[in-house]
Amino acid sequence: MNDKAAEKVQARSPRSPIGLVAGGEDGDRGHTVSRLLGRMRHSAFQGRKLGEAFEVWQRMIDGDGLICLGLAGSLASAGLAPLVTWLVERGYVDLIASTSANASEDLLEARGARFFQVDPEHVDDAELWRQGFYRFYDHVVGATDYDAMEDFTRGFFEALAIRSTAPALPGVRFMHEFGRWLDGQGLGATIAATCFRHRVPLFVPAAPDGPLAEGYRTARAKGPVVDFFADYEIALRIMARYMPPGPGTSAVFLGGGVPKDFLQITATSVKAIRGDDAPSPHLAAIQITTDNNVFGGLGGASVASECISWGKEAQDGLNVMLFADVTIALPLLCQGLLERYGAGHTRRARAAIETDLAAVLDG
């Protein structure tokens, strides 16, 4: 091995990186997941990447930069919405870009709907239709409950039409008002309501692709117009404040798709606005996905390679590509962060960031 190659090789810990947590060293002290993730960092394959993701997320939290979160797919129906609100409450994310499903389907359980597990390999979908169930791969919800949730959102559009006097408003303000309305309806544990209370910008670039579309369709009063291009202008103002020479931006992508690209493409626009030759990338990124980037989907492109060619991620950044199911990886990472920082912890930089972002949004 030549010297240049040797510089890229990190020595593995001489101790066994993974093993049963036995009595004596770790026994019964509670901090088992965080220690396990630390040991996995010195392992291999996706176990190593999970440990690296845990390490990088801690560095994001300990820093002063803006932490963005991309929420793809339908994680809310899988029961992960409480983890997202937990991250918001502790300041472990400062800005969210989400699919419409994740920003609204957490209303189902909040309103008392029940999910039921099914065997995805043997379930009869025609029979589910006859019995009145909608399927999310391996779990189902009653069609009556889902339809009622969609109809429930109609009240938001009617209330907004009465309250707002502006002819148009940005999508991020639209979601802020949605969160305010949910909070007033006693649904404060939802993602949108939690973002509202903590002044966390919630961008939903494809808001009609979900339950809100049906709520809008059935609303007796509609207005104002939602300007999603204004969203991008606001996102650019935020990113330009934090991208170097500011304290920097970082991102955690749960899946890929539109939320990931929305957050990443801001880097190319900030560079164009500044007119600099140097890129304005996120300084750290974690993507958790089961997608395979060889099929050409930009949302699935590795944050550690292809995205660098666009200037979206830093060449020397803390970029971790973790190929794993989000429903496995995110609970482990959140439990590890809980053990690492303690139950009452709030990120030190959060108060200043909240004030700063509120000024941008209100302005």
Side-chain angles (χ1 to χ4, degrees):
M1 182 182 295
N2 58 40
D3 292 341
K4 183 171 291 187
E7 290 175 358
K8 297 182 179 181
V9 176
Q10 297 183 7
R12 177 176 292 195
S13 169
R15 299 182 60 188
S16 175
I18 304 178
L20 295 176
V21 178
E25 181 185 350
D26 298 311
D28 301 325
R29 296 188 182 180
H31 295 267
T32 56
V33 174
S34 60
R35 296 188 184 196
L36 177 62
L37 291 173
R39 291 175 176 180
M40 292 173 73
R41 167 66 179 82
H42 300 285
S43 176
F45 312 129
Q46 299 314 302
R48 168 186 170 181
K49 290 300 178 182
L50 183 61
E52 288 181 1
F54 182 54
E55 180 181 278
V56 170
W57 207 334
Q58 290 176 71
R59 295 184 67 169
M60 294 178 184
I61 292 169
D62 294 338
D64 296 321
L66 185 79
I67 305 176
C68 306
L69 179 68
L71 292 177
S74 184
L75 303 179
S77 73
L80 298 188
L83 293 182
V84 176
T85 58
W86 181 81
L87 291 168
V88 170
E89 289 166 347
R90 294 169 71 99
Y92 294 174
V93 295
D94 303 303
L95 179 151
I96 295 177
S98 174
T99 58
S100 184
N102 284 322
S104 55
E105 286 181 346
D106 58 344
L107 280 169
L108 286 165
E109 288 186 287
R111 299 184 70 244
R114 295 182 61 193
F115 284 91
F116 302 91
Q117 293 180 324
V118 297
D119 182 347
E121 302 303 324
H122 300 96
V123 68
D124 184 337
D125 285 286
E127 183 60 26
L128 286 178
W129 170 260
R130 285 190 290 270
Q131 292 183 14
F133 288 100
Y134 295 149
R135 181 160 77 100
F136 301 79
Y137 181 59
D138 64 352
H139 55 289
V140 300
V141 68
T144 300
D145 287 332
Y146 197 96
D147 295 346
M149 179 268 292
E150 291 183 312
D151 188 60
F152 172 73
T153 65
R154 177 183 66 186
F156 162 63
F157 288 97
E158 293 172 350
L160 183 64
I162 294 172
R163 185 171 64 248
S164 180
T165 58
L169 77 169
V172 68
R173 172 59 65 177
F174 169 80
M175 292 308 301
H176 182 77
E177 294 302 323
F178 182 53
R180 185 200 304 273
W181 182 78
L182 290 178
D183 203 50
Q185 297 290 317
L187 298 167
T190 56
I191 291 174
T194 304
C195 288
F196 158 72
R197 289 194 308 277
H198 293 273
R199 302 306 301 268
V200 168
L202 174 59
F203 293 92
V204 183
D209 183 24
L212 288 171
E214 188 66 9
Y216 176 80
R217 183 188 70 81
T218 58
R220 291 185 296 269
K222 299 178 174 68
V225 173
V226 181
D227 185 350
F228 291 103
F229 283 102
D231 262 19
Y232 195 59
E233 294 178 343
I234 293 172
L236 290 180
R237 287 202 296 271
I238 292 172
M239 296 299 182
R241 291 167 78 102
Y242 283 88
M243 286 176 171
T249 60
S250 59
V252 178
F253 301 114
L254 305 182
V258 170
K260 178 188 176 186
D261 205 35
F262 180 86
L263 294 173
Q264 285 196 321
I265 202 171
T266 56
T268 62
S269 291
V270 169
K271 175 187 177 299
I273 291 170
R274 292 175 176 176
D276 296 335
D277 292 332
S280 304
H282 298 297
L283 300 182
I286 299 166
Q287 183 173 8
I288 307 173
T289 183
T290 53
D291 193 11
N292 191 330
N293 56 349
V294 301
F295 297 115
L298 187 61
S302 171
V303 297
S305 56
E306 185 178 331
C307 295
I308 294 172
S309 74
W310 292 81
K312 297 175 179 179
E313 304 297 343
Q315 180 178 356
D316 56 350
L318 301 172
N319 303 322
V320 179
M321 198 72 197
L322 170 59
F323 292 97
D325 188 328
V326 174
T327 63
I328 298 172
L330 186 63
L332 288 172
L333 290 170
C334 288
Q335 179 65 28
L337 293 175
L338 172 63
E339 293 176 3
R340 166 66 177 82
Y341 291 103
H345 180 259
T346 301
R347 185 182 174 214
R348 174 182 53 81
R350 178 57 199 157
I353 292 175
E354 181 178 342
T355 300
D356 192 40
L357 294 186
V360 175
L361 292 173
D362 293 341

